[in-house]
Amino acid sequence: MTGRERLTGIGLSLREALPPGRLMALAEELDEIEGSTLWCPEFAIRDAFSQLAFVAARTRHLRLATGIAPMAARTPAATALATATLDELSLGRMVLGVGVGHPTMSGGWHGQEHGSSLQWASDYLTVLRQALGGLTTDWPGQEAASTGFRLLTGGAPDVPVVLAALGPKMLGVAARLADGVLLNWTTPESARASIETVTAATDAGREPLQVGGYLRIAAGPDAAAQAYAHTAFYAELPAYRKALLSMGFGTSRDLADEAARELVLHGRVQDIVSRAQEWRDAGVDPLVIYPVGDEASIDEAIRLAVEVVRSLASSQRPVGSTTLTRQEGAR
């Protein structure tokens, strides 16, 4: 399976620390859905690589992605080592997603302060590329550096590297050094604009990047309330608030309410799938379904997410015209 093939299709993002038995059952269910990917974010809940290793041992086909592993938690050499190990143990199913994260995480939790997030991402990806490519690292970067490290297994050059990006400058870093982008909060229109930005910043000799994105869903009798609570948390963080405002939300006093109504879907499977197709038509690939909710509703949201993934994965309708434009522009 090539790196590009690993990056396409439909995924499910799992943020919650499910009990081992429940996690195993979910992984086995997703393993039966052709072309699906389990994306594991990393906060202060579970280590993404450990959780994916557990899943890898119990599945045969499911693709495994960190989505997103914070750069502050590991040096680029350590990230390359963990990635190559998991790719080997899973027989070539690994996707590496990394990002600079929020300042509370990088500076507060991990004690890492960086003068430029853009330079940090650029340096970090450069070292990753060298190490995963089987080379001896030699990069005296300004924000991340490594010299003399080499993966004795020969590297993992087929693992696609995805960068989390919100703004055009970080999208530009991805266009130079990554294989894909993962967008967090996005409308179909803003996703299309991000794809155009990445395409314009990609050198003519490179293949167009895969631009994926999260699509959040909620479930249960209080699904709207769950959607609002989740969105309100992010709306208080400056970078995400800026992103939501740039999409046109915030015309009323309640930015979170406006955004939640459009960006966190709930209801019947067929209705969610129909709305999800709007993101696919905008060119978002992979599309990562992200169930959200509190302790009382998250299990139902995960079950709903699996059904949405199953339905989208079985759909023969292609990703939309934006992808064709990107391909044509690369010729």
Side-chain angles (χ1 to χ4, degrees):
M1 187 188 306
T2 67
R4 177 168 287 271
E5 287 171 341
R6 298 187 208 184
L7 274 181
T8 60
I10 304 298
L12 185 147
S13 176
L14 181 65
R15 177 176 178 171
E16 281 65 34
L18 297 181
R22 176 72 181 95
L23 176 58
M24 184 189 306
L26 172 64
E28 291 172 348
E29 193 170 14
L30 291 173
D31 200 38
E32 297 299 320
I33 302 176
E34 184 176 358
S36 63
T37 305
L38 178 65
W39 292 76
C40 283
E42 186 171 289
F43 300 94
I45 300 173
R46 271 192 183 144
D47 169 83
F49 291 92
S50 299
Q51 187 161 235
L52 289 173
F54 176 87
V55 170
R58 289 155 177 81
T59 55
R60 296 178 58 195
H61 310 290
L62 181 64
R63 302 165 190 172
L64 313 164
T66 58
I68 293 295
M71 293 178 182
R74 301 168 190 84
T75 66
T79 298
L81 181 61
T83 300
T85 301
L86 188 47
D87 189 57
E88 180 182 13
L89 295 177
S90 67
L91 304 179
R93 291 184 278 146
M94 181 63 184
V95 174
L96 175 63
V98 295
V100 298
H102 191 268
T104 299
M105 180 185 292
S106 57
W109 296 2
H110 298 291
Q112 290 202 33
E113 300 290 345
H114 294 272
S116 167
S117 294
L118 296 172
Q119 186 62 49
W120 183 23
S122 179
D123 288 341
Y124 200 101
L125 289 179
T126 299
V127 175
L128 272 177
R129 283 295 192 195
Q130 291 181 352
L132 291 174
L135 304 176
T136 300
T137 60
D138 182 17
W139 188 254
Q142 299 174 37
E143 300 288 349
S146 179
T147 303
F149 175 78
R150 183 171 66 90
L151 288 166
L152 299 182
T153 56
D158 292 333
V159 173
V161 178
V162 177
L163 180 66
L166 285 177
K169 292 181 179 179
M170 193 63 78
L171 289 170
V173 173
R176 288 191 297 109
L177 295 167
D179 300 301
V181 172
L182 187 64
L183 306 173
N184 199 331
W185 292 88
T186 179
T187 62
E189 293 75 19
S190 66
R192 186 176 287 108
S194 293
I195 292 169
E196 292 172 354
T197 297
V198 171
T199 302
T202 302
D203 290 340
R206 295 196 70 200
E207 284 189 293
L209 270 65
Q210 295 296 129
V211 180
Y214 287 137
L215 179 57
R216 289 164 167 84
I217 66 171
D222 61 346
Q226 297 300 326
Y228 177 82
H230 180 82
T231 309
F233 170 79
Y234 279 90
E236 292 300 315
L237 301 176
Y240 293 108
R241 185 174 187 86
K242 181 179 178 181
L244 292 173
L245 289 171
S246 72
M247 294 176 211
F249 299 113
T251 57
S252 69
R253 293 184 178 182
D254 198 332
L255 169 64
D257 181 64
E258 287 185 42
R261 290 176 183 273
E262 290 297 319
L263 303 183
V264 186
L265 309 184
H266 49 88
R268 299 181 304 170
V269 171
Q270 57 266 39
D271 293 333
I272 294 174
V273 168
S274 178
R275 284 290 314 280
Q277 189 64 46
E278 296 176 21
W279 277 264
R280 295 180 84 183
D281 285 345
V284 176
D285 185 15
L287 184 63
V288 184
I289 306 304
Y290 191 153
V292 303
D294 60 15
E295 187 175 349
S297 66
I298 191 61
D299 280 346
E300 186 172 352
I302 292 172
R303 287 193 294 271
L304 177 61
V306 170
E307 292 308 310
V308 171
V309 169
R310 192 190 315 279
S311 181
L312 287 168
S314 65
S315 171
Q316 297 302 307
R317 184 174 175 183
V319 173
S321 57
T322 303
T323 298
L324 296 177
T325 301
R326 291 167 60 210
Q327 292 172 343
E328 290 164 0
R331 293 196 182 104

